[in-house]
Amino acid sequence: MGVKIRIRRGIVHIVTVSGGIRTEESTGLHVSENPEQNKEIMKLAELMRSKKELLLIQGQNGITPPESKLSLYEYVEKQSLLKRDSIIYKCLPYLDRFGGRRIRLIDITPGWFEDFQERIKKDSGLKSAHTQEKYCCLVRQCLKKAVRDGLITRDPSSGIRHISVPDSKKEFLSLEEVRKMAVTPYSRKGSMPESLQTEIRKAFLFGCCTGFRISDLIQLKWKDVDFQRMEIIKRQKKTRKLVVVPVKPTTLAIIGESEGHDIDSLIFPELAKTRTTTNRYLHGWAEAAGIRKNVSWHTARHTDATLLLEYGADLYTVMRLLGHTRIQTTMQYAVVSDRKKKDAVAAVPEFITEQDSMLTV
């Protein structure tokens, strides 16, 4: 038996060998370029390694933590209460329906999870493969959390093939369309204050220039913006990854000067506290600008990624700017740009003359 720490591609993994079986799982921790920060990361990784080693020893002696005996339903329900901003609760009805209340966390096997996934696929209420995969991924997240918490030694969903999801069209705006929206005034009638509408417009355009998700825009503070170095340093809410995004003067002009603001205050305070469905405002604004696309907050992120690639940025640079943890995620944006494809074809020298082509007819 042995439990060791390994670093692969900047991600800290824990490798376990028990009973002749070797497993390797990501801790979710990322090595940074800051030596001091790395010390803290490795301390946390060592704590996780020690907990896993203790769990193995306890298991060999017939001792299991009390929480390991919770049903899968109870454990997932507990996670949904701890993470109030998460959508984990959405998979609870399906766990209830497909045996999640009857099986204990420590008794889950890869076969059980595979069967659960097959039942999800056959459920008449979940016709979309995207939704089926989303709910299964929520359960996978909880099982990985149980491993990190030292409640189970191995993630039973590891190695189980994900539900096949067809490629979805990533909606993005061209440079001309972004300019159209920037110069189009729009006022949505109803209960939405004019000040909030102004903030939504600013935040969306800011997202088109920086690639920040809506979750990061509403948490963005004045202290995150370095006006001298012309860059934003922000830890992403979704991945907890620290990103450094260089910005242009025109991008900073969207939010204005920091003078007169508390550095700990939010840049988009009204957007942060509103419970109004702001995507509806974006739809109306895009329509007013003559854009027939399903514009949402994530469209701004897609737009930034696509424009960066269209104007010459390499995939690795875009990956770092967006804070992606996998290059495959960034590669999705490389296939949506028709301009890039046309430019690539146009760059190849002509090798068949018009006269040659007529001979083949």
Side-chain angles (χ1 to χ4, degrees):
M1 184 193 79
V3 184
K4 297 181 179 180
I5 293 173
R6 290 283 184 272
I7 298 175
R8 302 192 190 283
R9 297 181 181 178
I11 301 175
V12 182
H13 291 71
I14 291 181
V15 180
T16 305
V17 179
S18 179
I21 299 174
R22 181 184 184 279
T23 59
E24 182 172 337
E25 292 172 306
S26 169
T27 62
L29 299 173
H30 295 262
V31 176
S32 71
E33 296 175 359
N34 186 327
E36 291 302 315
Q37 189 176 1
N38 282 340
K39 286 181 183 179
E40 297 303 316
I41 289 171
M42 295 313 294
K43 282 181 184 178
L44 185 55
E46 175 57 28
L47 180 62
M48 296 170 73
R49 188 205 69 77
S50 300
K51 287 177 70 175
K52 172 153 289 214
E53 190 171 55
L54 178 61
L55 184 63
L56 282 174
I57 294 170
Q58 289 176 332
Q60 289 179 343
N61 291 280
I63 304 169
T64 55
E67 275 198 310
S68 300
K69 297 178 182 179
L70 289 174
S71 72
L72 176 60
Y73 182 97
E74 289 171 327
Y75 181 72
V76 173
E77 185 178 40
K78 184 178 179 180
Q79 298 309 307
S80 70
L81 293 172
L82 290 172
K83 301 178 71 174
R84 294 186 179 277
D85 59 344
S86 172
I87 58 170
I88 293 173
Y89 68 91
K90 289 193 173 183
C91 67
L92 287 172
Y94 300 95
L95 283 173
D96 187 25
R97 192 182 308 172
F98 302 138
R101 286 186 185 271
R102 297 188 298 274
I103 189 164
R104 296 186 305 175
L105 200 57
I106 55 174
D107 295 330
I108 298 172
T109 63
W112 186 92
F113 184 82
E114 199 165 17
D115 181 59
F116 169 76
Q117 191 164 264
E118 285 301 315
R119 290 182 178 216
I120 285 284
K121 286 165 67 175
K122 293 175 182 175
D123 189 273
S124 58
L126 295 174
K127 296 181 180 180
S128 164
H130 288 274
T131 307
Q132 295 167 4
E133 170 64 359
K134 179 177 71 176
Y135 287 171
C136 287
C137 280
L138 290 171
V139 178
R140 286 176 187 266
Q141 287 174 21
C142 290
L143 292 172
K144 286 179 172 59
K145 177 74 164 50
V147 174
R148 292 196 298 272
D149 289 346
L151 303 180
I152 54 178
T153 57
R154 185 176 182 273
D155 173 12
S157 69
S158 178
I160 304 297
R161 187 185 295 274
H162 285 249
I163 295 174
S164 179
V165 176
D167 291 337
S168 59
K169 181 182 178 183
K170 290 191 177 295
E171 204 76 90
F172 68 96
L173 301 176
S174 67
L175 197 59
E176 292 72 22
E177 287 171 330
V178 175
R179 286 170 176 162
K180 273 186 182 180
M181 290 190 70
V183 299
T184 300
Y186 176 67
S187 179
R188 183 180 175 84
K189 296 179 181 179
S191 58
M192 185 180 288
E194 182 62 36
S195 56
L196 174 58
Q197 296 184 46
T198 301
E199 241 183 46
I200 293 171
R201 290 196 295 272
K202 285 184 177 182
F204 181 82
L205 294 173
F206 199 74
C208 288
C209 298
T210 60
F212 285 133
R213 299 179 182 89
I214 177 61
S215 57
D216 295 319
L217 288 170
I218 62 178
Q219 289 188 340
L220 194 65
K221 296 182 177 181
W222 290 103
K223 68 180 180 182
D224 298 325
V225 184
D226 189 329
F227 284 84
Q228 298 297 320
R229 298 182 55 139
M230 303 286 289
E231 63 185 21
I232 300 171
I233 303 173
K234 178 82 173 67
R235 188 170 297 281
Q236 294 184 325
K237 181 179 179 182
K238 181 178 179 180
T239 63
R240 306 308 302 159
K241 196 176 178 79
L242 192 70
V243 293
V244 180
V245 181
V247 289
K248 298 178 179 178
T250 48
T251 302
L252 293 178
I254 295 171
I255 59 174
E257 295 292 333
S258 61
E259 289 182 15
H261 295 282
D262 181 347
I263 61 169
D264 286 313
S265 64
L266 297 170
I267 293 178
F268 304 111
E270 292 202 43
L271 183 61
K273 67 184 179 184
T274 184
R275 294 187 179 275
T276 306
T277 306
T278 50
N279 269 327
R280 292 180 184 175
Y281 179 86
L282 295 178
H283 296 161
W285 183 22
E287 193 172 324
I291 298 169
R292 302 293 179 261
K293 290 182 178 178
N294 185 24
V295 175
S296 67
W297 282 107
H298 223 57
T299 305
R301 184 168 169 83
H302 294 168
T303 297
D304 180 58
T306 306
L307 291 177
L308 285 168
L309 290 167
E310 277 196 348
Y311 286 91
D314 62 87
L315 278 170
Y316 183 73
T317 300
V318 176
M319 173 186 171
R320 296 293 296 270
L321 287 169
L322 295 181
H324 288 155
T325 55
R326 298 163 60 246
I327 192 67
Q328 289 86 347
T329 307
T330 316
M331 287 174 67
Q332 296 176 31
Y333 296 98
V335 299
V336 298
S337 173
D338 289 332
R339 172 179 175 164
K340 200 76 172 175
K341 294 174 186 175
K342 291 174 181 177
D343 288 348
V345 172
V348 178
E350 294 288 355
F351 51 87
I352 297 178
T353 65
E354 187 176 345
Q355 186 177 0
D356 291 335
S357 63
M358 290 180 67
L359 294 174
T360 63
V361 176

